[in-house]
Amino acid sequence: MAFYTVYLPEGRRDADALEQAVLLRDRFSWAAFIFSGLWLLWHRLWLGFAGYLVLAALIAYASTVLGLGPRASFGLEALLALAVGFEGVSLRAAKLERQGFRLAGTVAARDLERAERRAFAALIAPDAPGVVAPARPLSGREPDIIGLFPTAGGRS
């Protein structure tokens, strides 16, 4: 079972907003780990790519100035690639938020198709079974509860 975060254009919940919805699978990205720079460019994460280049250049510079061997340089580059692999989805989410998308909720599903069905069911009918509760109430008002209980007073 995988978790997907659902992003919608801010302030919209109509059919067009559902067409523009973006679902991001919350997981380690092997493609981002293996092809870090190219992966950042593919997803048009320009700031992330600039940061990646700066860090890669600093590692190369530090390797020559400090006289680190090839194993140490490779290890540092691998750590940088590992960071991109773990944080790649977070970078994509931050880009979506800068573009005016907002987190609508989280969905648990086996694959993307099922996640889309569950997410759209939750957005259309918020009380649909089998859907993880959205991060924010769909009505736009704050919830009356605090903590882990589904309703005020602990009643379900």
Side-chain angles (χ1 to χ4, degrees):
M1 195 68 70
F3 288 96
Y4 293 84
T5 52
V6 182
Y7 288 87
L8 292 175
E10 187 173 13
R12 296 181 49 209
R13 301 229 179 257
D14 56 357
D16 290 334
L18 292 179
E19 282 289 323
Q20 296 176 351
V22 178
L23 277 74
L24 298 177
R25 185 172 179 187
D26 190 22
R27 67 177 174 96
F28 178 80
S29 173
W30 284 100
F33 172 67
I34 296 169
F35 306 107
S36 299
L38 293 175
W39 186 89
L40 291 166
L41 288 174
W42 177 263
H43 291 287
R44 297 180 181 177
L45 298 169
W46 311 120
L47 294 175
F49 181 71
Y52 174 80
L53 282 181
V54 167
L55 289 175
L58 284 174
I59 290 171
Y61 178 74
S63 295
T64 55
V65 169
L66 298 176
L68 298 177
R71 287 184 180 174
S73 297
F74 177 78
L76 291 173
E77 291 287 345
L79 285 176
L80 180 58
L82 194 63
V84 174
F86 277 116
E87 294 300 322
V89 174
S90 299
L91 292 172
R92 290 184 66 197
K95 178 186 175 189
L96 285 171
E97 288 181 2
R98 282 192 309 271
Q99 291 176 336
F101 283 75
R102 292 294 168 241
L103 179 64
T106 305
V107 178
R110 291 185 186 185
D111 56 18
L112 180 60
E113 183 180 339
R114 290 179 187 179
E116 287 174 344
R117 277 192 246 143
R118 286 185 175 181
F120 297 156
L123 293 170
I124 293 169
D127 296 330
V131 179
V132 176
R136 291 195 303 257
L138 297 174
S139 64
R141 74 176 191 88
E142 293 298 319
D144 297 327
I145 59 169
I146 297 175
L148 301 174
F149 300 103
T151 60
R155 296 178 302 274
S156 21

